[in-house]
């Protein structure tokens, strides 16, 4: 199935006005004071769905949690001050850990809940109602995988039913509900009902929505496979039977726009661009770019992964434009060629817990090398440039392709489905009818093709792919399948950091080594890599009973080192 990727820009204009009305205070004492008679009391449910879809990667207030914590915990990124200071050093900060809670509940969850209420039991609105329910499950899945037990069934009902202190649903109850809700929503779709409009995810394609719902059932079934294996297998097989992603044409990626890089206050309300890409670019790109963690670099570089130079580059950023990103000097080919001739002497990596300025590289020109020749070219073009004055260009950084605000917001891909099916068949032994090796290899191929299809990277050739999977460490090995499959999923999920962290915790692969607690930057709140975000402290006041009950249900002492319900191995 090939989906229409076009999407009318006009729908984005709806976001800055109507939808934000729903985040207002619902306290009846202030209701009349806060009521503006010039504003409509009704919001189009399609606009509410649009807003929720765009928020997942477009909300700068929310996605900053990935730069601060998630990418450090998965060891994809390190070295940027924000990433190392918080996640890299295990610095627990209530304001920063609260970002998903403080931004998804008042916005996405509230809008989706209200829109579902408006469209329930209306046959003409069956399609939008179904899509809203599916996306509300998706957002609920994000929240519970960050925090554990969270409000969901009672969430955002204050205005609708008067519930102002919602209970915290247990994770087990939530996952059971997710399966039922996804199946129930999918059954609602009706080709005779009104079309879904203003949909930057699927452009109103109801078949694509069904496929996403079924594919999410695979993800959630695998998530609970260690705690409820019988239910997991049952739901996994049922989802396969109902129809999941079968090619990259089924990928669930929210479309964003090319908007000006801006870190002013107005940018935090403009969800049109991919805010995660904005953070990759940074508000100080010359001095604080996005560096690659040594864990991620070594996994790709050491196995000659053809994605290495698509994802990672070496840049001199002294001449970069802080508004467009133009002016970076690409040193990649020269750095890699000289490194190959001088192993371990050129590239400077950033280990977990390190800042970019730790282990500052000492620039040497390596006379006659490709690097020396390239540096001479740069000096000729920029008289007075001193390559040793700012040698952080010897540290791998995220490639320019991934710094664009029109990059997609990745929710789920065919490649992920392949890896889930490979693990189900090859590790868990579920009789799905799949060949584990085939699914594993198809997943790698799809993950590689994903870069060219979505980020304008050079395509990976069949020869490059074949050489990569022929390596003994990469070639499918049934005895080591769980590690292989989930390491490949970890590479894929760089573009989907919430899922990357969830799947690393669930599978325990790749096996990440915590930062050295005795290093230059001592760990602040525990030596082990955290496995959850802590509830916002304000919940102790606003929802004291439910908050305390949720904490009491945690096995052992409650902290960000306490495992979630499904994280048992």
């Amino acid at each position: 199935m090939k989906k229409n990727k076009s999407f009318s820009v006009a729908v984005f204009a709806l976001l800055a006005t109507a939808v934000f009305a729903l985040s207002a205070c619902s306290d009846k004492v202030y209701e009349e004071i806060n009521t503006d008679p010039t504003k409509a009391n009704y919001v189009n449910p399609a606009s509410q769905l649009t807003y929720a879809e765009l928020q997942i990667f477009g909300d700068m207030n929310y996605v900053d949690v990935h730069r601060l914590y998630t990418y450090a915990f998965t060891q994809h990124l390190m070295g940027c001050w924000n990433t190392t200071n918080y996640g890299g050093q295990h610095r627990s900060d209530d304001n920063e850990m609260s970002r998903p809670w403080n931004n998804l509940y008042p916005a996405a969850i509230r809008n989706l809940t209200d829109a579902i209420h408006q469209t329930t039991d209306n046959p003409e609105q069956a399609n939008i109602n179904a899509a809203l329910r599916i996306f509300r499950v998706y957002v609920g899945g994000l929240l519970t995988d960050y925090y554990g037990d969270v409000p969901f069934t009672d969430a955002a009902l204050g205005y609708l039913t008067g519930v102002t202190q919602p209970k915290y649903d247990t994770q087990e109850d939530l996952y059971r509900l997710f399966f039922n809700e996804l199946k129930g929503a999918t059954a609602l779709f009706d080709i005779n009902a009104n079309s879904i409009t203003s949909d930057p995810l699927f452009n109103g394609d109801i078949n694509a929505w069904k496929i996403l719902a079924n594919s999410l059932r695979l993800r959630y079934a695998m998530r609970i496979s260690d705690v409820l294996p019988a239910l997991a297998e049952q739901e996994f097989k049922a989802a396969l039977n109902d129809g999941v992603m079968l090619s990259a044409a089924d990928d669930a990626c929210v479309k964003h726009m090319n908007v000006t890089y801006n870190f002013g206050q107005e940018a935090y309300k403009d969800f049109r661009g991919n805010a995660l890409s904005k953070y990759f670019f940074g508000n100080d790109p010359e001095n604080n770019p996005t560096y690659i963690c040594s864990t991620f670099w070594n996994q790709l570089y050491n196995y000659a992964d053809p994605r290495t130079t698509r994802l990672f580059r070496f840049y001199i950023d002294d001449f970069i434009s802080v508004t467009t990103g133009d002016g970076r000097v690409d040193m990649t080919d020269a750095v890699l060629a000289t490194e190959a001739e001088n192993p371990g002497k050129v590239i400077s990596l950033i280990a977990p817990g390190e800042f970019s300025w730790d282990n500052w590289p000492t620039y040497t020109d390596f006379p006659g090398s490709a690097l020396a020749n390239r540096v001479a070219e740069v000096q000729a073009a920029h008289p007075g440039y001193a390559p040793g004055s700012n040698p952080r260009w010897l540290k791998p950084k995220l490639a320019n392709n991934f710094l664009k605000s029109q990059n997609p917001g990745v929710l789920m891909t065919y490649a992920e489905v392949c890896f889930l099916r490979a693990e189900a068949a090859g590790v868990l032994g579920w009789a799905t009818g799949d060949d584990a090796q085939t699914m594993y290899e198809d997943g790698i191929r799809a993950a590689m093709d994903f870069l060219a299809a979505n980020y304008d990277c050079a395509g990976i050739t069949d020869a490059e792919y074949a050489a990569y999977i022929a390596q003994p460490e990469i070639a499918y090995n049934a005895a080591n399948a769980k590690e292989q499959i989930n390491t490949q999923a970890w590479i894929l999920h760089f573009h989907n950091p919430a899922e990357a962290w969830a799947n690393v915790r669930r599978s325990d692969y790749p096996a990440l080594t915590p930062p050295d607690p005795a290093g230059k930057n001592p760990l602040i709140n525990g030596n082990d890599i955290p496995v959850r975000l802590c509830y916002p402290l304000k919940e102790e006041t606003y929802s004291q009973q439910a908050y305390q009950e949720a904490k009491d249900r945690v096995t052992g002492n409650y902290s960000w080192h306490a495992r979630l319900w499904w994280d048992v191995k």
Side-chain angles (χ1 to χ4, degrees):
M1 180 202 68
K2 186 70 175 177
K3 298 192 293 289
N4 182 358
K5 291 190 176 182
S6 65
F7 180 70
S8 174
V9 174
V11 301
F12 292 104
L14 298 169
L15 301 175
T17 55
V19 180
F20 277 105
L22 289 175
S23 60
C25 177
S26 61
D27 191 333
K28 292 184 179 179
V29 175
Y30 299 102
E31 184 174 350
E32 291 186 4
I33 298 175
N34 289 334
T35 299
D36 186 343
T38 68
K39 299 294 189 296
N41 58 9
Y42 168 82
V43 182
N44 187 333
S47 300
Q48 294 173 288
L49 176 62
T50 303
Y51 179 84
E53 291 172 344
L54 291 173
Q55 184 182 18
I56 303 306
F57 280 86
D59 183 353
M60 296 186 73
N61 280 308
Y62 162 55
V63 300
D64 200 14
V65 75
H66 301 315
R67 183 181 66 159
L68 297 167
Y69 284 123
T70 311
Y71 277 125
F73 295 160
T74 59
Q75 296 183 9
H76 282 117
L77 303 179
M78 199 65 64
C80 166
W81 180 86
N82 314 70
T83 306
T84 298
N85 180 68
Y86 290 98
Q89 290 191 346
H90 299 179
R91 189 183 302 272
S92 173
D93 184 286
D94 177 63
N95 288 330
E96 309 303 351
M97 284 194 297
S98 299
R99 287 180 179 274
W101 191 288
N102 290 342
N103 290 284
L104 293 179
Y105 273 118
I109 288 292
R110 179 173 293 201
N111 278 286
L112 293 166
T113 303
D114 179 80
I116 290 168
H117 177 77
Q118 291 187 54
T119 57
T120 295
D121 297 328
N122 182 342
E124 293 183 351
Q125 298 276 44
N127 291 327
I128 185 67
N129 181 264
L132 289 161
R133 288 172 60 180
I134 291 168
F135 207 76
R136 191 172 187 271
V137 167
Y138 174 82
V139 179
L142 293 177
L143 287 162
T144 189
D145 289 344
Y146 287 128
Y147 297 103
D149 297 356
V150 294
F152 186 76
T153 54
D154 287 349
L157 293 177
Y159 180 78
L160 297 173
T161 67
V163 176
T164 57
Q165 292 188 329
K167 69 177 184 296
Y168 286 39
D169 298 295
T170 69
Q171 278 205 301
E172 178 175 352
D173 287 345
L174 284 172
Y175 272 89
R176 290 180 183 275
L177 173 65
F178 291 166
F179 293 126
N180 291 333
E181 185 70 355
L182 290 171
K183 287 181 285 189
T186 302
L188 288 176
F189 285 111
D190 183 352
I191 59 173
N192 297 313
N194 293 343
S195 299
I196 303 171
T197 59
S198 305
D199 176 13
L201 179 56
F202 292 130
N203 203 25
D205 186 335
I206 63 174
N207 190 53
W209 276 103
K210 293 178 183 179
I211 291 172
L212 172 61
N214 295 333
S215 300
L216 285 173
R217 288 160 61 192
L218 296 185
R219 175 189 286 179
Y220 297 150
M222 188 60 69
R223 193 88 87 235
I224 67 168
S225 58
D226 287 334
V227 286
L228 294 175
L231 177 63
E233 181 178 4
Q234 172 186 317
E235 293 291 346
F236 197 96
K237 290 179 178 178
L240 283 178
N241 185 65
D242 290 342
V244 300
M245 294 178 179
L246 297 177
S247 75
D250 297 327
D251 287 351
C253 298
V254 177
K255 289 168 277 295
H256 285 278
M257 291 177 60
N258 183 11
V259 297
T260 303
Y261 285 101
N262 189 334
F263 283 81
Q265 286 302 309
E266 66 277 9
Y268 289 84
K269 297 180 180 180
D270 184 352
F271 294 0
R272 296 173 301 165
N274 187 316
L276 190 57
S277 294
K278 292 182 183 181
Y279 277 127
F280 287 157
F281 180 82
N283 58 348
D284 186 12
E286 179 182 346
N287 297 306
N288 199 25
T290 299
Y291 297 99
I292 306 304
C293 182
S294 60
T295 308
F296 198 20
W297 168 267
N298 288 332
Q299 177 61 44
L300 273 69
Y301 181 75
N302 291 347
Y303 294 107
D305 192 318
R307 289 168 287 192
T308 305
T309 53
R310 272 82 167 179
L311 287 165
F312 316 144
R313 307 294 292 179
F314 295 84
Y315 296 111
I316 293 176
D317 285 331
D318 294 56
F319 319 110
I320 192 173
S321 166
V322 297
T323 57
T324 66
D326 297 332
R328 301 183 100 177
V329 179
D330 195 325
M331 303 291 288
T332 307
D333 292 343
V335 169
L336 293 180
T338 307
E339 171 70 22
E341 297 176 354
N342 303 271
K345 296 182 180 180
V346 179
I347 296 173
S348 177
L349 298 177
I350 302 174
E354 288 185 346
F355 289 101
S356 64
W357 53 85
D358 292 330
N359 302 315
W360 195 250
T362 300
Y363 171 68
T364 306
D365 61 4
F366 299 97
S369 68
L371 182 57
N373 295 335
R374 180 69 175 123
V375 167
E377 293 175 358
V378 175
Q379 289 178 301
H382 300 275
Y385 171 64
S389 64
N390 186 6
R392 61 165 64 98
W393 50 271
L394 295 175
K395 298 176 181 288
K397 302 170 188 173
L398 190 61
N400 272 346
N401 302 59
F402 303 93
L403 277 57
K404 300 175 182 178
S405 72
Q406 68 266 36
N407 284 341
V410 181
L411 307 184
M412 194 168 189
T413 64
Y414 165 66
E416 178 187 348
V417 168
C418 289
F419 293 137
L420 293 170
R421 295 175 70 166
E423 184 171 355
V427 178
L428 298 177
W430 294 347
T432 59
D434 289 325
D435 177 75
Q437 179 175 344
T438 299
M439 298 304 333
Y440 169 74
E441 293 176 352
D442 286 353
I444 295 175
R445 176 79 258 192
M448 291 180 172
D449 291 342
F450 184 80
L451 300 182
N454 293 278
Y455 300 97
D456 296 325
C457 295
I460 292 173
T461 67
D462 290 342
E464 288 178 300
Y465 163 74
Y468 176 68
I469 65 168
Q471 298 176 86
E473 299 87 351
I474 305 299
Y476 184 78
N477 179 354
N480 196 35
K482 186 174 183 179
E483 179 176 4
Q484 288 183 314
I485 294 165
N486 286 289
T487 297
Q488 291 296 328
W490 172 73
I491 297 171
L492 167 72
H493 289 321
F494 172 75
H495 313 288
N496 188 355
E499 184 57 26
W501 189 32
N503 197 62
V504 166
R505 287 175 288 162
R506 191 273 307 173
S507 69
D508 293 319
Y509 290 112
L512 302 176
T513 302
D516 179 3
K520 293 181 180 179
N521 307 297
L523 301 179
I524 308 302
N525 298 113
N527 295 339
D528 294 332
I529 299 173
V531 291
R532 72 161 76 211
L533 299 181
C534 292
Y535 298 126
L537 292 177
K538 67 180 182 181
E539 284 294 292
E540 189 171 7
T541 299
Y542 295 156
S543 301
Q544 185 176 15
Q545 181 177 346
Y547 164 83
Q548 190 60 50
E549 289 173 350
K551 288 179 64 177
D552 290 343
R553 286 194 291 265
V554 173
T555 302
N557 295 326
Y558 176 80
S559 76
W560 68 349
H561 296 290
R563 291 174 179 262
L564 300 183
W565 164 76
W566 47 254
D567 182 13
V568 296
K569 293 185 179 180

